[in-house]
């Protein structure tokens, strides 16, 4: 058994793929978290609320318990260099939205799609007004998505994603480095897998071949690693993010987690202190209502995908250029709740599907098991009502994957 090493402070900008933790907590533990929340926790949730109206003041009313009817969208954003993170992760000149994840729940609330938007995706930013400072920002063209936070915070990021996807996003949340650490610790650790041993000097990740239960800063090291996974790009890190989030959802849905009052209270406290929810979502009633709408989604019908894009464009070195035709097809399916299926070889460039093996028992001490061999078996054939969207990478929540060491 080996222990994953904590990452050093430098290079913390690569940590933020971990914001998926916040989304998973909202997805599967909101009911129990809200049920045990005390007044102090509820007050903190309200005090940390964020206006996402874009200056209009029309952020949407908070739903009462059971009020979510039909489909809806939730945006989760992770910031780099947030004021709340302190100095332990180093300093940067600006605060960036390095992680942008949107959950779409279908109208029948039986399936969901989680879309990860690359931080370096080149997009058009619409005009927006910061709800806090009232500063108005002009529209810009062909700039990285992760510059959105500096143009007006969560509200302007939400507006940009809405314009990009054609979807309306009434609910959102914001999390920083410290929040990720606390949320992961509250869960008690998440199993992650690598197909070969990885030692990454930049992130500090040191994992043996196989499955290791990581938590806190060790989880950050896994999710910030880039050079040692796949092709060494940010797109490979999205694959690690999807593996981690899928494993986290499975962990949270396990009987041991959802019936453990201590863990549930820890999740409630960590969320209240470290996640800023939109005013439309920042109440126990709203969280309960959201969770009631999501709790019964089957893991096979919760799909994680990456916004379609490519690298290597000479005009935008190191950036991701949208693959417009594939993106249009994807969001046409999402907006109309038409089922779709990924290619049989659809996992991202940083991961591979593996033959399922028993996960190590949860504990605060990282442990490992031998890695399963990447499976050669193709994904299940799509049903007659599902269309395959070629060019979209991702996995379902029930699929077990391993990060591919390079």
């Amino acid at each position: 058994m080996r222990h994953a090493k904590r990452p050093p402070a430098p290079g913390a900008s690569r940590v933020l793929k971990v914001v998926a933790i916040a989304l998973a907590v909202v997805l599967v533990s909101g009911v129990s978290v809200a049920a045990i929340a005390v007044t102090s926790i509820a007050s903190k949730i309200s005090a940390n609320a964020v206006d996402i109206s874009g200056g209009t003041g029309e952020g949407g009313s908070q739903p009462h318990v059971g009020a979510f009817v039909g489909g809806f969208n939730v945006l989760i954003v992770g910031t780099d260099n947030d004021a709340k993170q302190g100095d332990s992760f180093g300093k940067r000149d600006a605060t960036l939205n390095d992680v942008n994840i949107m959950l779409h729940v279908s109208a029948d609330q039986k399936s969901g799609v989680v879309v990860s938007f690359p931080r370096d995706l080149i997009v058009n930013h619409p005009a927006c007004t910061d709800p806090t400072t009232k500063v108005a920002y002009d529209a810009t063209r062909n700039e990285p998505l992760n510059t959105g936070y500096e143009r007006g915070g969560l509200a302007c990021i939400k507006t940009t994603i809405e314009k990009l996807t054609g979807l309306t996003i009434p609910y959102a949340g914001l999390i920083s480095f410290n929040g990720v650490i606390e949320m992961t610790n509250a869960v008690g650790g998440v199993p992650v897998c690598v197909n070969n041993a990885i030692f990454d000097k930049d992130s500090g990740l040191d994992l043996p071949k196989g499955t290791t239960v990581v938590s806190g800063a060790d989880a950050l090291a896994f999710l910030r690693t880039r050079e040692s996974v796949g092709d060494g790009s940010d797109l490979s890190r999205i694959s690690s993010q999807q593996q981690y989030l899928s494993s986290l959802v499975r962990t949270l849905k396990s009987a041991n987690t959802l019936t453990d009052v201590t863990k549930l209270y820890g999740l409630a406290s960590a969320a209240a202190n470290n996640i800023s929810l939109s005013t439309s979502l920042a109440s126990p009633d709203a969280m309960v209502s959201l969770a009631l709408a999501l709790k019964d989604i089957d893991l096979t019908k919760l799909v994680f995908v990456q916004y379609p894009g490519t690298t290597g464009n000479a005009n935008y070195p190191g950036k991701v250029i949208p693959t417009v035709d594939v993106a249009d097809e994807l969001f046409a399916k999402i907006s109309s709740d038409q089922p779709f299926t990924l290619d049989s070889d659809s996992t991202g460039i940083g991961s591979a599907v593996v033959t399922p093996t028993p996960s190590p028992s949860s504990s605060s001490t990282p442990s490992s098991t031998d890695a399963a061999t990447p499976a050669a078996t193709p994904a299940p054939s799509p049903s007659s009502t599902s269309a395959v969207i070629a060019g979209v990478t991702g996995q379902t929540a029930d699929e077990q994957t391993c990060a591919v060491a390079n």
Side-chain angles (χ1 to χ4, degrees):
M1 178 175 70
R2 297 178 62 185
H3 293 260
K5 296 181 179 179
R6 292 185 178 276
S13 63
R14 297 172 183 173
V15 170
L16 278 166
K17 297 301 181 187
V18 297
V19 71
I21 295 171
L23 175 61
V25 171
V26 172
L27 285 177
V28 297
S29 65
V31 171
S32 296
V33 166
I36 64 173
V38 295
T39 301
S40 62
I41 290 179
S43 297
K44 289 177 182 177
I45 291 174
S46 178
N48 291 332
V50 178
D51 182 0
I52 60 171
S53 66
T56 67
E58 298 175 356
S61 59
Q62 294 177 353
H64 56 78
V65 174
F68 278 95
V69 178
F72 55 90
N73 303 301
V74 182
L75 176 67
I76 301 295
V77 171
T79 56
D80 175 15
N81 204 31
D82 186 280
K84 296 180 180 180
Q85 75 185 38
D87 296 332
S88 59
F89 297 100
K91 295 182 178 180
R92 291 180 59 166
D93 294 333
T95 299
L96 305 174
N97 49 299
D98 271 0
V99 173
N100 309 271
I101 298 174
M102 186 197 74
L103 163 70
H104 170 78
V105 175
S106 63
D108 62 7
Q109 298 183 356
K110 294 182 178 179
S111 63
V113 181
V114 180
V115 183
S116 295
F117 298 85
R119 66 179 188 178
D120 292 325
L121 186 69
I122 297 298
V123 300
N124 296 330
H125 293 261
C128 186
T129 299
D130 188 322
T132 301
T133 66
K134 308 306 180 184
V135 174
Y137 294 86
D138 294 332
T140 62
R141 294 182 59 82
N142 300 327
E143 290 189 1
L145 178 60
N146 71 346
T147 62
Y149 188 85
E150 286 295 289
R151 301 183 67 255
L154 185 59
C156 290
I157 300 167
K158 183 210 73 159
T159 302
T160 299
I161 297 295
E162 286 181 329
K163 294 294 184 182
L164 181 65
T165 64
L167 301 174
T168 299
I169 304 174
Y171 311 107
L174 195 67
I175 190 171
S176 61
F177 296 164
N178 288 334
V180 169
I181 291 176
E182 295 304 321
M183 297 298 290
T184 317
N185 289 341
V187 173
V190 176
V192 298
C193 173
V194 294
N195 71 339
N196 282 302
I198 291 179
F199 174 73
D200 188 277
K201 62 181 181 180
D202 293 320
S203 68
L205 182 67
D206 186 8
L207 289 180
K209 175 182 178 179
T211 300
T212 302
V213 177
V214 295
S215 61
D218 297 326
L220 299 186
F222 175 77
L223 290 158
R224 69 190 281 253
T225 293
R226 183 183 70 181
E227 286 81 1
S228 298
V229 177
D231 65 355
S233 71
D234 283 325
L235 301 185
S236 291
R237 283 194 294 209
I238 287 181
S239 299
S240 295
Q241 167 195 331
Q242 292 174 339
Q243 179 202 157
Y244 188 89
L245 181 53
S246 296
S247 180
L248 181 59
V249 171
R250 293 193 298 269
T251 299
L252 288 169
K253 274 188 169 289
S254 70
N256 289 339
T257 298
L258 297 181
T259 60
D260 188 324
V261 175
T262 300
K263 286 185 179 180
L264 291 175
Y265 184 84
L267 285 170
S269 180
N273 284 286
N274 295 285
I275 299 177
S276 297
L277 298 173
S278 61
T279 53
S280 56
L281 194 58
S283 75
D285 275 4
M287 295 179 68
V288 170
S289 182
L290 175 63
L292 288 174
L294 300 171
K295 67 184 181 66
D296 293 327
I297 292 180
D298 191 281
L299 294 181
T300 63
K301 295 182 179 179
L302 181 61
V303 184
F304 299 89
V305 299
Q306 175 187 299
Y307 186 94
T310 60
T311 57
N313 187 295
N315 294 323
Y316 300 95
K319 305 303 180 182
V320 180
I321 307 301
T323 307
V324 177
D325 56 340
V326 180
D328 287 347
E329 182 179 2
L330 172 64
F331 284 97
K333 296 289 186 184
I334 292 176
S335 64
S336 60
D337 286 333
Q338 296 181 35
F340 65 88
T341 303
L342 303 179
D343 275 335
S344 59
D345 185 21
S346 64
T347 52
I349 53 181
S351 65
V353 177
V354 299
T355 302
T357 56
S359 298
S361 59
S362 297
S363 68
S364 58
T365 303
S367 60
S368 64
T369 62
D370 290 338
T373 303
T377 305
S381 300
S383 68
S384 58
T385 59
S386 299
V388 175
I389 303 180
V392 175
T393 62
Q395 66 174 89
T396 59
D398 71 319
E399 284 186 297
Q400 297 185 31
T401 57
C402 276
V404 177
N406 65 18

